[in-house]
Amino acid sequence: PHSSRRRIIRPQSAMLTLYGDYLLNRGEEIGIGSLIKLFGNFGLSEQAVRSAVSRMCQAGLLKVRSRGRKSYYSLTPNGHSLLTKGAQRIFVRKNTSWDGTWNIVTYSIPEQKRKLRDALRRELGWMGYGALGGATLISPYDLTQEVIELAEKLGVIEYIHIFQARQQGLTDARKVVALCWNLSRIHEMYGSFITNYQPRLEDRLRRIQAGEPVEASEYFVERFALIHEYRKLPFYDPDLPDELLPEDWLRSKAAALFKEYHDLLTEKANEYFDSVLEA
């Protein structure tokens, strides 16, 4: 169990996992000393933790309150909204059937606004759009409103067109999906998550049944590693409706494994987190 403890995690993304999983719904602040102690479980140095929080303050995700020589960090509204969206993506999956229409976004953004064009493509990708061609992206969900908001935020609304269209003729919808999304890569990611974490869950259940004494910090480390690993998956997965997916799609199996394991670790992990906070 201690090998996962020493796996090097990137301090900033670890910080997002911590705030997203432990502090998002409490709306609390956390002292720098507590952060250093919590991340000490993963072999992160005090310096690494300090520079990660200062970078996140610069990025406008955290704000600091100083009292004497102590510093306390909490989420800014910006950080809060970023993590709320992330948590929704992790815990709430789309479960809708497909009505046979595609939402199509096309754009022609001038070369001197290339940065904005790249940002638009990237954000549409996060939203689950797949690239059908150079400047044409599609989704089986009608996300027109979200796309309009995004284009307004980026200032490119005059350069985009959005259509809601039915597929005609001989094209098989699954062929379109194969063009737009690398499903086999996503499938492999789910597969390796299951291969990795199913035995860990079984091992943990066995140890609980055998009544082995376990440090609360171990539950914290285990739950942290679990959520840190699983967090990435929903962002690669466009959450396509079942009709468009292969028969043996592993998403629901991975999600069920994550939920069972996460729930099993939560109480003890929270106890440890609270004890560090109170100390």
Side-chain angles (χ1 to χ4, degrees):
H2 292 271
S3 61
S4 70
R5 204 167 269 218
R6 293 285 167 234
R7 247 211 337 251
I8 289 303
I9 49 178
R10 286 184 27 243
Q12 269 173 287
S13 92
M15 207 63 78
L16 286 173
T17 295
L18 183 82
Y19 273 88
D21 207 28
Y22 287 93
L23 290 152
L24 187 59
N25 300 321
R26 304 166 175 231
E28 281 179 30
E29 52 182 17
I30 182 169
I32 188 73
S34 300
L35 287 171
I36 290 164
K37 177 159 191 205
L38 290 167
F39 287 116
N41 286 297
F42 307 97
L44 284 183
S45 70
E46 178 174 335
Q47 193 42 53
V49 174
R50 283 183 189 278
S51 70
V53 288
S54 86
R55 279 203 300 274
M56 285 175 74
C57 287
Q58 279 162 6
L61 299 173
L62 292 181
K63 57 179 191 284
V64 64
R65 181 178 71 87
S66 300
R67 212 176 63 205
R69 296 183 54 198
K70 293 200 162 97
S71 307
Y72 297 89
Y73 294 89
S74 57
L75 289 167
T76 61
N78 237 349
H80 199 278
S81 105
L82 175 82
L83 289 176
T84 305
K85 278 187 196 139
Q88 262 200 305
R89 191 79 182 253
I90 295 167
F91 293 102
V92 185
R93 311 308 302 266
K94 289 192 185 95
N95 263 337
T96 45
S97 55
W98 190 47
D99 66 359
T101 62
W102 292 104
N103 189 253
I104 303 169
V105 179
T106 70
Y107 58 85
S108 51
I109 299 175
E111 184 56 29
Q112 63 267 33
K113 297 193 183 237
R114 193 173 67 228
K115 274 204 167 72
L116 291 174
R117 191 174 64 203
D118 294 346
L120 178 73
R121 275 186 84 86
R122 195 172 53 244
E123 294 274 343
L124 288 170
W126 285 134
M127 283 161 70
Y129 280 81
L132 186 58
T136 305
L137 292 102
I138 69 169
S139 166
Y141 302 111
D142 182 357
L143 299 172
T144 303
Q145 208 35 57
E146 288 93 325
V147 175
I148 289 171
E149 281 167 26
L150 169 65
E152 280 175 343
K153 189 180 85 179
L154 292 173
V156 295
I157 194 82
E158 62 196 288
Y159 304 111
I160 71 164
H161 300 283
I162 307 172
F163 305 92
Q164 192 67 10
R166 294 199 78 78
Q167 203 168 314
Q168 302 291 354
L170 303 169
T171 325
D172 171 6
R174 284 177 194 238
K175 284 193 179 132
V176 174
V177 166
L179 280 172
C180 296
W181 291 278
N182 187 347
L183 287 191
S184 61
R185 177 179 170 226
I186 299 162
H187 197 65
E188 273 166 28
M189 289 169 84
Y190 280 129
S192 66
F193 175 79
I194 292 165
T195 308
N196 225 328
Y197 282 91
Q198 190 68 47
R200 295 189 194 192
L201 170 62
E202 282 159 15
D203 185 51
R204 171 59 61 211
L205 285 166
R206 190 183 50 69
R207 292 173 67 190
I208 289 171
Q209 274 164 347
E212 283 183 34
V214 183
E215 292 276 319
S217 67
E218 207 177 299
Y219 280 85
F220 171 78
V221 168
E222 217 167 301
R223 175 170 142 187
F224 199 94
L226 172 75
I227 200 158
H228 203 65
E229 207 48 51
Y230 186 76
R231 221 182 77 174
K232 301 166 194 161
L233 301 178
F235 287 97
Y236 288 101
D237 184 354
D239 242 357
L240 298 173
D242 291 345
E243 295 92 323
L244 298 174
L245 290 167
E247 293 294 307
D248 61 345
W249 192 240
L250 290 171
R251 178 175 71 209
S252 57
K253 192 176 173 189
L257 166 62
F258 170 73
K259 188 182 175 342
E260 185 186 350
Y261 198 4
H262 186 266
D263 291 353
L264 182 72
L265 300 169
T266 291
E267 194 186 334
K268 288 270 200 298
N270 280 340
E271 271 172 34
Y272 174 72
F273 181 82
D274 290 339
S275 74
V276 170
L277 228 56
E278 278 154 31

